[in-house]
Amino acid sequence: MKVLVVDGNSIINRSYYGVRPLSTKDGTPTNAVFGFLKILNKTVESVSPDCVAVAFDLPAPTFRHIKYPLYKAQRKGMPEELAVQLPIVKRFIELLGYHIVEREGYEADDVLGSFAKMCEENGGECYIATGDRDSLQLIGDNVTVLLSTNRETIIYDEGKIIETYGVKPKELLEVKSLMGDSSDNIPGVKGIGEKTALELIVKYKNIEYIFDNPEKIETKPKIKTLLLDPKSKKDAFLSRELAEIFCDVPIGDALVGDILGNYRTRPRDSAGLQEKLIELEMFSLLSLYGLNPVPVITENAETHKFDVIQNPDIESAKLKLEKRSSLDFITEFDSTVPQVSRLQINAGDIIYDISEDAELAFRQLILENEKPKRTRDVKSLYLHLNKTEADITGVCFDLILAAYLDDPAANNYTAATLVPKYLPNTVFEINRADETENASMEYLEISALPALCGKLEEKLKKQGMSELLCKIELPLSKVLASMEYEGFLLDVQGINRFGKDLESDISVLAEEINELAGQKCNPNSPKELSYTLFEKLGLKHGKKTKMGFSTNAETLEKLKNAHPIVNKILNYRHLAKLNSTYVTGLLKVAGEDGRVRTYFKQTETRTGRISSAEPNLQNIPVRTERGATLREFFIAPEGRVLLDADYSQIELRILAAVSKDGQMISAFNEDDDIHAITASEVFSIPRMILPDELRTRAKAVNFSIVYGISAFSLANDISATINEAKKYIAKYFETYPGVKKYMDNIIIKAKEDGYVSTLFGRRRPLADINSSNHITRTAAERIALNTPIQGTSADIIKIAMIGCYNRLKSENLDAKLILQIHDELIIEASQKDAQRAAEILKEEMENAVELPVKLKADVLSGKSWKQAK
């Protein structure tokens, strides 16, 4: 019989601190629950146990507290955000058919030990899932520990313990008796750490022998003196009593002949589990347990019934659709040819499912119909229409865009997620001629589309985001589709030559690294690098990983001046990344026409920014000379030119506008140097004699303070002391009092409302803004400061893109928007239309919105992206 026993307190704690803050819309924290269920499910799948028991501590004192009142005395109470999740976790354990085991006077560890002993004595296999190494002492022939770490689960049996520590599992208790455990307030022998404790136990096996024969112990004089001290012996034996796991906890009445029978897994309560997951908005876990996202039917459920007609007569379908106030449809596309491969239309009580001549049906039933149209993922539809040179009118609602505006933090916007979230007591029944068990799931999205659109339309109107959807996001999707269709021309031959140069330089750097190391060292191997840098060359190391001491970029940057090899390694990594990610990566995705086409994500970021993927053209390097060279290979075709415009200091201009700070507004409207003004005021130096270095520092201050940067972080950024940074921040707020007032007010309002908004009404919910956890709360406060500025900037450039796209089209210019990089727009234009296109680009960017502060955009041109930049 296989028994899985879980250290509930350990796993839930690890989940709470290891999973980013999550919560429901009403503010119930769920990150610990989410992490716990993920770990538990993965463990159950890997073990396939017959019995599952989850052990928890109880708040009552244990025998250890009675023995030693200082035991765990330094531990703080459970954070409130974690405490409220504990009963939720226990409820899920019950719903899954597993057993909760708690015994007053004992810890969860003792329950684990008692299961381990029971299995050892009765021929069962015991698997202990925990995040605490204390349980390693329990490992035996029939007992395995599955240790959850931040990155992985490590399987420990006796062989793994000996390989890792050099001692047997039960000898780990002896090691702890000497070294103690500060987290549990177990004293150990003062002056003996883990390394010495392990050396002693490897050689002498137990503390009895060590303290009974101190004269025979071969160790350093200092350690020998400690072993001769009667207090050391007393502390060591006390520590062993405290650290030893008690394995005789009464864990329930066992059935005769089946000692573990009471803990066999019970049947899962699928309906209850489904209901609880939906209640806690953990929609992604529904599929983890193979559950239907459609809510459980209750007596008062609202039921929608549909007949499915496959490949209907088009004329009959037209007559039916004429009676509808809007067209609700979903399209699927064939990636091999530019056509609609499947069309689904919701006609009230009928769903038309068309897969034969779907492109023709799409044109006749959708494109030729002037009714308002509602769909999902309209950007994909616009991209298809670009390929077929067709157009669509009347699109008034996109389900995905609307769901994104309502909840920008959601993991996905599929019907399986949206139906239980927005229609929790609604059932969609499907009647199809060849009805299958999964028909309701297959047609869930199209059957729920009108109801979901209606619900979200109502929500957005109430939240003041209807215009944001209709006037910004929907028109923008058409612009983005056009940009995806156009793509950006790549100089394939040039980038190939660049790649060969990189490979040559990478090879030279590898040889130089070997020479400086005095041996062969693979720069791509963290293990070899760690050994070379920190053991062979003796450089100062940082945190340890399973591959040795960390050799990440942050560590190496701190060591740049410690040895010439470090800069070689950093340069090697930089060139290797340029070659693999950009040269090889871009060549791989270039089309037959030489153009690279990115995918713009409109529903990815929480601030409203557009992101780019496959490939990410918003992330082409610019900070290093070799990285910036890549932009030479993004070019305009013969007879055409690139126009590149970006906003000047747009986020600071928005800050000036929303804070209504008079000095900052005047500086921008008079085209003054805002960084020089800040430097002069903050550092109390007249501008005429202001060093460039101080202006650079002030630039960092300007861009950092509004995002809630601490004095500590600012000090690191500008190479100042913490006290200096505090003075700079105080002086900054004296210079711009409107900014200070704005920052204070936005935090107060966010705490009252539970969200922040951009100037255009885009909301970002902040469930953690009133958290009692200081770290969680301050992180939410930084988001509250950042989002209205960055989000408004994102909204403004979207408006500029829409305006620019429409004007280029209305004036019939041979010019197209082809790329957006945050505050930057790029147009490819014919030489004859380039000047007019540049004028439009500048006008639309600078006049996208009326603010107390004027917006400024500079337009440059060139044959390549680098020239135009």
Side-chain angles (χ1 to χ4, degrees), residues 314-324 352 365:
I314 297 298
E315 293 305 319
S316 298
K318 276 184 182 179
L319 289 173
K320 176 76 174 175
L321 293 174
E322 279 301 318
K323 299 173 184 176
R324 303 286 295 167
Y352 294 122
L365 295 177

Side-chain angles (χ1 to χ4, degrees), residues 336-469:
T336 59
V337 290
Q339 66 179 37
V340 174
S341 58
R342 187 181 188 186
L343 172 66
Q344 293 179 322
I345 307 173
N346 187 312
D349 54 354
I350 290 174
I351 288 174
Y352 294 122
D353 185 5
I354 306 169
S355 55
E356 295 176 6
D357 295 324
E359 176 70 28
L360 179 62
F362 171 68
R363 289 173 180 269
Q364 292 181 345
L365 295 177
I366 306 298
L367 296 189
E368 294 175 9
N369 196 316
E370 296 182 357
K371 290 181 183 294
K373 300 171 181 69
R374 302 188 295 190
T375 186
R376 66 177 303 279
D377 191 15
V378 73
K379 180 163 71 71
S380 293
L381 176 56
Y382 282 130
L383 181 60
H384 165 74
L385 294 172
N386 271 294
K387 293 174 183 176
T388 58
E389 298 183 350
D391 201 3
I392 187 171
T393 59
V395 176
C396 63
F397 206 86
D398 182 312
L399 179 61
I400 292 179
L401 290 178
Y404 166 66
L405 290 180
D406 180 57
D407 186 4
N411 291 324
N412 66 69
Y413 303 101
T414 62
T417 299
L418 300 180
V419 168
K421 184 174 183 178
Y422 293 106
L423 305 170
N425 201 30
T426 310
V427 178
F428 299 91
E429 291 184 6
I430 298 297
N431 179 34
R432 191 172 66 174
D434 60 338
E435 187 171 348
T436 63
E437 187 179 341
N438 294 320
S440 291
M441 279 303 300
E442 181 183 349
Y443 292 100
L444 179 63
E445 190 161 42
I446 188 61
S447 59
L449 184 65
L452 284 171
C453 289
K455 179 67 72 172
L456 278 160
E457 192 171 11
E458 182 184 313
K459 286 202 77 177
L460 294 187
K461 187 175 181 180
K462 187 176 180 181
Q463 295 168 354
M465 288 195 283
S466 296
E467 281 201 6
L468 184 62
L469 174 67

Side-chain angles (χ1 to χ4, degrees), residues 682-694:
V682 167
F683 302 119
S684 302
I685 296 175
R687 285 177 64 177
M688 293 182 65
I689 58 171
L690 185 72
D692 288 342
E693 179 192 344
L694 290 186

Side-chain angles (χ1 to χ4, degrees), residues 701-725:
V701 174
N702 272 330
F703 285 116
S704 299
I705 285 183
V706 72
Y707 298 124
I709 195 168
S710 66
F712 174 79
S713 298
L714 182 60
N716 282 337
D717 289 349
I718 64 175
S719 302
T721 67
I722 293 175
N723 281 335
E724 285 174 333

Side-chain angles (χ1 to χ4, degrees), residues 12 15-16 19-35 79-89 92 276 279-282 767-768 770-773 776:
I12 196 174
S15 299
Y16 176 71
V19 176
R20 67 177 177 84
L22 299 171
S23 60
T24 61
K25 285 208 166 184
D26 67 4
T28 303
T30 57
N31 62 326
V33 179
F34 182 85
E80 185 183 342
E81 282 85 355
L82 175 55
V84 298
Q85 296 184 68
L86 191 57
I88 300 173
V89 164
F92 273 115
K276 194 68 180 172
E279 176 193 327
L280 293 170
E281 299 166 19
M282 293 184 176
D768 301 312
N770 291 305
S771 171
S772 61
N773 183 301
T776 303

Side-chain angles (χ1 to χ4, degrees), residues 46 61 104 114 162 189 193 230 247 257 295 360 376 380 419 444 456 462 503 527 676 696 720 748 865:
S46 67
E104 191 167 316
S114 300
I162 294 170
V189 177
C247 295
L360 179 62
R376 66 177 303 279
S380 293
V419 168
L444 179 63
L456 278 160
K462 187 176 180 181
E503 287 171 3
K527 192 171 184 179
T696 302
I748 292 169
W865 187 359

Side-chain angles (χ1 to χ4, degrees), residues 652 655 659-664 677-683 698 700-711 714 724-747 785:
L652 285 179
L655 172 61
S659 68
K660 300 181 176 62
D661 187 275
Q663 178 157 334
M664 196 176 274
I677 292 173
T678 302
S680 179
E681 295 290 340
V682 167
F683 302 119
V701 174
N702 272 330
F703 285 116
S704 299
I705 285 183
V706 72
Y707 298 124
I709 195 168
S710 66
L714 182 60
E724 285 174 333
K726 284 180 179 176
K727 289 177 184 175
Y728 297 158
I729 291 172
K731 191 70 176 171
Y732 178 93
F733 287 136
E734 285 179 23
T735 305
Y736 305 116
V739 174
K740 174 63 174 167
K741 185 178 179 182
Y742 163 77
M743 291 174 66
D744 290 342
N745 289 342
I746 201 75
I747 296 294
L785 294 170

